[in-house]
Amino acid sequence: MIELEDVWKVFGKDENAILAQARSAEPDPAALERLGAVIGVGGASLTVKRGELVCLMGLSGSGKSTLVRLVNRLLEPSAGRVRIGGKDILALGRKALRDLRSHRIGMVFQSHALLSHLSVRDNVALPLEIRGVARTTREDTADEMLVRVGLDGLGDRRVSALSGGMQQRVGLARALAANPDILLMDEPFSALDPLIRYDLQTQFRALSRELGKTTLFVTHDVDEAFRIADRVVLMRAGRIVQTGTPATLLAAPADDYVRRFVEHARPLAASRHEATTIRAIA
Amino acid sequence: MTDIQSRDVAIDRFIGSNSTYYRAAFHKIGAQRGYAPSFNMAAAIFGPVWLGGRRLWAAFWPFLIAELLAVVLIAFALSGGAGADRAARADRLEGLAAVRLQEATTANETDATSSLAKALTRSAAALGDAARQAREEAGAANAQTSLIVTLGLALFLAVRLTTGALGNQLAERRFRAWRLGGEKVEGGFSRLHAAGVALLLGILIPTIAFHFADRELFRAFPSNPAWNSASAVWLDGVVSAISGTVAPVANGMTNGINAVLTLTEAVLTQTPWPVVMIIIVAVAWQLAGFRVFLLTAVAISYLAILGYWEKSMQTVALLGTAALVSIAIGIPLGILCGYKRRVAGVVRPLLDFMQTMPAFVYLIPVIALFGIGKPSGVIATIIFGIPPVVRLTALGITSVPASVREAAIAFGASRRFILFKVDLRTAAPSIMAGVSQTILMCLSMVVIAALIGAKGLGEDVLHALQYAAQGQGLLAGLAILLCAIVLDRIVQGRGTTARD
């Protein structure tokens, strides 16, 4: 469903020079420093199958939020290929890209990014409004989504009157409103307190399985990743270090970085069927 | 190495010479809460030179200025103080009185009854009185002299004692900044800076001394009036050249503004007053609620009963047009400034200029271009009124959270959608504050507009000013204020009144 092929995103004044240096067989750190280069994502390749929930995991600054933004071209890749449903999205014109975003991709942000002057319902209906859906239809859809995320009856509230957890549910409802087949989740639950985070994780996993959405989920929390993910992608300094099921990561970490990352995961937090697999491997 | 040892080493490196003294002083300061009394003799003796050498500039400048003030006081008093001038005057008057007395005596001897002799005697007596008075004043001033000297000396002493008492504290504070700043803040005693300060004092203090020894010295800066007038003449040429080339455009603008003004004024003043009043009051209720409705009703009654109705309608037509044009240009310009940092970099100094330059200065070229009358008034008002709405619109646009904008893009929003449905809506409170400011600023230009021939309430204020008619001035001023507030509150609508 989502295919990334040797995708690069570098920041700096002269992107081409930085790219040439960074992709060379032996990149010279001093030269990159001189160019003021920041490697956001370096040569990432990844395929997410239809209906699969993949977690992008890594420390802050490891490039996971950058990578997820390359999928819907919120950031323009410096090099590489991005395909959605087999179609090269880097070749899309402005209008076609907007259509892709409004029809097929929903996104949830860490900072909610809700419009404070709109009601909860209008916020949820925003993607439909962008698409030009008639008012009554989009309001009905929005109300339906609010029921799904457990906020029924709160459509007329002001966004600012809601708690952090509730605001994030609004964000989720908004992402689902356009009925996209892809969900991009950029650390959606990181800013919430542990209990609410746990609830939302449970709810989100159920919802995403039920709706069969293809999901790319960014997190820095191992427990969160292991609880909800079918596969986990571990990133460090812009590069993908290892891709695999939680069980694989636990049983056969690719290097010390991965081992250190996963060794503090609470075994119970791993989803139940994974836990049995772990035991079987061990 | 223990922490204390490492601190001592740091102090050594920071202070340079004589660090044993500073080690003890800094330890004492660090050990005590609040002010730890200590006295730095070197700081007290060398004053500004010490502060400069230790690079304590924040303390250096106020202390230097206080010390120079002390020196000026002492020099002023020692050179005779204010008494010197008075004594010289008394001398001159006494001389004149003596001459007049001599003349009177001569006249008396010739003809004791002549009016000339009487006049001369009177004049001599008057001059004598004046001389006596000047002498007394000189005496009083001389008595003050010793007071001023004492004051100057006390100030000087106080500055030096404070420098001594605070010296170690200041040095210790800088030491901490030096340690925190990764030792990028310079430490040690800078001979170069001390020498620089000494040189500065070597120039300033003799200058003060010379001035008071001979008061004509350094009294006024030797300015060059010729350069001033030459520059002014050159600017005259520039302005008239510009007005020559843009005259057709200016004429077009004048005609356009005149047409709009005539129309709005006709609508407001030719329509029967009950109709206009009822509509305004109804609009106020509809747009801004009951409180603004009440305010509007009271304001309109005031204007109507005291006979300001027609004039206030003229004013509203004139300045309302100016405000409308300001807003119509200002919001798009502000949006542009909010999106393009480079445009903002050019526009911001221009806005500063427009807001700070006194209206009378740009009135001159405006009149040269657009002639005397209402269009000039409108243009001058726009120049003054446009900055707030531009600034606050730009501020509103730049403070839309990047994440909100990103979310809209992620859901496929077009630029148009982002501008109208995201940015402008989120920035609305800030933009409305700008609109409000612009309306009020425009109305405040009413008197200046009247000065160049715009009729209306400003005219009344101007008349009141010319004839010192306080009552009239206050009444007309209040009328202007009411017009401004009512306009602003109606435009702000329900949003702000509900929150108030």
Side-chain angles (χ1 to χ4, degrees):
Chain A
M1 192 69 183
I2 306 172
E3 290 165 79
L4 304 178
E5 198 184 309
D6 191 28
V7 174
W8 288 76
K9 178 64 190 175
V10 299
F11 301 95
K13 264 199 183 134
D14 187 352
E15 268 191 33
N16 288 330
I18 295 168
L19 208 55
Q21 180 61 241
R23 291 178 99 169
S24 64
E26 276 179 38
D28 175 14
L32 287 172
E33 171 96 40
R34 256 199 316 282
L35 288 162
V38 176
I39 309 282
V41 171
S45 295
L46 172 69
T47 306
V48 184
K49 292 193 287 285
R50 183 180 296 277
E52 198 181 19
L53 201 167
V54 171
C55 269
L56 284 176
M57 195 168 68
L59 302 173
S60 330
S62 60
K64 48 198 196 309
S65 285
T66 308
L67 181 58
V68 81
R69 278 169 174 70
L70 298 176
V71 174
N72 60 351
R73 276 175 71 188
L74 280 181
L75 291 173
E76 213 54 54
S78 310
R81 286 186 183 291
V82 180
R83 277 189 290 268
I84 289 179
K87 226 159 104 191
D88 182 6
I89 67 151
L90 300 184
L92 295 179
R94 242 195 233 171
K95 173 80 173 61
L97 179 62
R98 282 207 305 269
D99 280 348
L100 174 83
R101 285 169 175 165
S102 65
H103 284 87
R104 301 195 57 187
I105 304 176
M107 192 162 180
V108 179
F109 300 84
Q110 180 179 4
S111 56
H112 320 311
L114 300 173
L115 293 164
S116 54
H117 62 270
L118 294 180
S119 70
V120 168
R121 180 181 298 114
D122 288 345
N123 263 292
V124 174
L126 187 81
L128 299 171
E129 192 186 350
I130 289 172
R131 240 157 76 171
V133 174
R135 174 167 284 278
T136 45
T137 319
R138 63 179 194 243
E139 284 185 351
D140 291 347
T141 315
D143 284 337
E144 211 176 290
M145 291 306 140
L146 285 172
V147 174
R148 272 204 191 278
V149 298
L151 292 178
D152 27 327
L154 296 182
D156 291 316
R157 296 279 184 89
R158 290 178 72 91
V159 171
S160 53
L162 265 47
S163 69
M166 285 164 123
Q167 288 187 10
Q168 201 49 281
R169 284 165 199 258
V170 176
L172 182 58
R174 177 174 67 175
L176 294 172
N179 193 24
D181 34 33
I182 294 171
L183 280 182
L184 303 178
M185 313 282 287
D186 184 17
E187 304 211 22
F189 307 142
S190 298
L192 305 175
D193 66 64
L195 286 179
I196 292 176
R197 198 188 310 160
Y198 193 85
D199 282 353
L200 280 179
Q201 284 164 2
T202 314
Q203 208 181 4
F204 174 72
R205 195 172 57 163
L207 201 62
S208 121
R209 292 274 146 74
E210 179 199 330
L211 299 173
K213 306 284 182 200
T214 307
T215 307
L216 205 51
F217 192 110
V218 174
T219 180
H220 58 247
D221 180 355
V222 191
D223 294 330
E224 182 168 84
F226 283 12
R227 278 197 73 213
I228 63 172
D230 295 322
R231 276 194 301 148
V232 174
V233 174
L234 201 72
M235 292 187 71
R236 179 182 51 194
R239 295 183 184 268
I240 292 179
V241 184
Q242 190 174 7
T243 307
T245 61
T248 325
L249 256 67
L250 274 173
D255 60 13
D256 270 357
Y257 176 74
V258 181
R259 184 173 300 118
R260 281 222 317 280
F261 218 105
V262 298
E263 81 189 351
H264 298 296
R266 284 172 292 143
L268 279 178
S271 55
R272 241 166 252 126
H273 72 273
E274 300 286 10
T276 41
T277 341
I278 296 167
R279 242 175 274 129
I281 293 169
Chain B
M1 197 191 292
T2 68
D3 276 356
I4 293 176
Q5 277 168 332
S6 81
R7 188 175 60 202
D8 281 346
V9 171
I11 292 173
D12 291 348
R13 277 197 296 135
F14 171 71
I15 286 296
S17 54
N18 197 16
S19 65
T20 357
Y21 169 77
Y22 283 100
R23 271 188 197 183
F26 287 6
H27 278 250
K28 194 173 158 195
I29 290 167
Q32 200 150 331
R33 263 183 77 185
Y35 176 73
S38 72
F39 196 79
N40 189 322
M41 199 50 92
I45 290 171
F46 295 105
V49 177
W50 184 85
L51 288 170
R54 288 268 170 229
R55 299 185 178 93
L56 302 165
W57 301 113
F60 168 80
W61 289 108
F63 281 144
L64 177 76
I65 288 163
E67 206 166 306
L68 286 178
L69 181 67
V71 172
V72 168
L73 281 177
I74 295 167
F76 174 66
L78 288 183
S79 71
D85 287 341
R86 305 260 159 67
R89 193 171 119 88
D91 286 345
R92 213 166 53 242
L93 287 171
E94 272 168 4
L96 268 176
V99 172
R100 210 48 57 81
L101 203 61
Q102 186 61 45
E103 285 168 358
T105 327
T106 327
N108 252 333
E109 278 163 9
T110 343
D111 180 4
T113 55
S114 77
S115 56
L116 176 70
K118 276 181 193 152
L120 282 170
T121 320
R122 266 203 309 277
S123 165
L127 281 168
D129 280 347
R132 235 185 331 279
Q133 204 182 338
R135 187 68 67 197
E136 269 169 29
E137 281 174 8
N142 278 332
Q144 276 180 357
T145 301
S146 52
L147 185 68
I148 295 174
V149 173
T150 322
L151 214 70
L153 281 173
L155 181 60
F156 185 83
L157 222 62
V159 170
R160 286 302 171 90
L161 286 175
T162 317
T163 313
L166 291 182
N168 287 338
Q169 322 275 333
L170 292 168
E172 198 260 353
R173 238 182 33 200
R174 193 171 167 87
F175 167 64
R176 273 187 284 137
W178 171 79
R179 270 187 111 179
L180 256 181
E183 314 196 352
K184 271 183 198 144
V185 180
E186 279 179 287
F189 187 85
S190 161
R191 272 167 221 229
L192 187 71
H193 284 110
V197 170
L199 184 69
L200 185 69
L201 287 176
I203 294 169
L204 295 182
I205 290 175
T207 308
I208 293 168
F210 281 134
H211 171 66
F212 285 107
D214 174 3
R215 292 201 183 186
E216 287 312 309
L217 218 55
F218 305 123
R219 186 182 279 276
F221 189 86
S223 57
N224 191 336
W227 288 358
N228 184 317
S229 54
S231 312
V233 167
W234 177 76
L235 280 173
D236 283 348
V238 171
V239 171
S240 59
I242 292 173
S243 44
T245 47
V246 300
V249 183
N251 272 335
M253 282 171 72
T254 312
N255 291 337
I257 293 170
N258 254 332
V260 175
L261 274 180
T262 320
L263 192 72
T264 42
E265 215 180 296
V267 168
L268 286 173
T269 55
Q270 297 305 313
T271 315
W273 58 263
V275 176
V276 180
M277 284 185 191
I278 290 170
I279 288 178
I280 292 177
V281 171
V283 166
W285 193 332
Q286 198 64 49
L287 289 182
F290 185 68
R291 280 172 55 180
V292 175
F293 158 76
L294 266 189
L295 174 77
T296 310
V298 170
I300 285 183
S301 322
Y302 174 88
L303 295 174
I305 291 168
L306 292 189
Y308 291 120
W309 180 250
E310 194 172 342
K311 282 180 173 162
S312 55
M313 284 305 104
Q314 286 171 340
T315 303
V316 168
L318 183 80
L319 301 170
T321 306
L324 217 65
V325 174
S326 300
I327 292 163
I329 301 174
I331 290 182
L333 187 60
I335 292 171
L336 199 63
C337 289
Y339 284 141
K340 309 270 179 209
R341 199 180 293 174
R342 210 171 285 172
V343 177
V346 177
V347 170
R348 192 166 303 140
L350 260 174
L351 296 180
D352 290 340
F353 171 85
M354 285 156 76
Q355 246 179 337
T356 316
M357 188 59 93
F360 290 106
V361 175
Y362 55 72
L363 221 48
I364 307 168
V366 165
I367 291 171
L369 276 174
F370 299 97
I372 283 190
K374 287 173 186 171
S376 291
V378 169
I379 284 167
T381 307
I382 291 172
I383 293 176
F384 186 66
I386 209 167
V389 71
V390 178
R391 271 189 227 278
L392 285 162
T393 303
L395 178 72
I397 295 284
T398 46
S399 43
V400 174
S403 63
V404 170
R405 212 174 275 153
E406 188 183 36
I409 296 171
F411 288 113
S414 60
R415 277 192 192 168
R416 208 183 136 89
F417 188 93
I418 290 170
L419 171 62
F420 287 105
K421 295 285 175 87
V422 179
D423 287 355
L424 283 183
R425 294 293 209 80
T426 313
S430 178
I431 295 174
M432 284 318 282
V435 167
S436 166
Q437 284 294 306
T438 287
I439 291 174
L440 297 179
M441 301 271 274
C442 282
L443 267 285
S444 76
M445 283 288 281
V446 62
V447 177
I448 288 170
L451 205 61
I452 49 174
K455 287 197 166 39
L457 290 169
E459 237 182 355
D460 283 36
V461 175
L462 214 58
H463 280 160
L465 192 67
Q466 275 158 356
Y467 303 116
Q470 296 130 358
Q472 274 302 326
L474 280 172
L475 288 179
L478 189 59
I480 295 169
L481 178 72
L482 288 174
C483 284
I485 290 178
V486 165
L487 253 183
D488 175 53
R489 294 300 185 273
I490 292 178
V491 172
Q492 291 291 311
R494 219 174 278 274
T496 40
T497 46
R499 250 175 275 146
D500 278 348

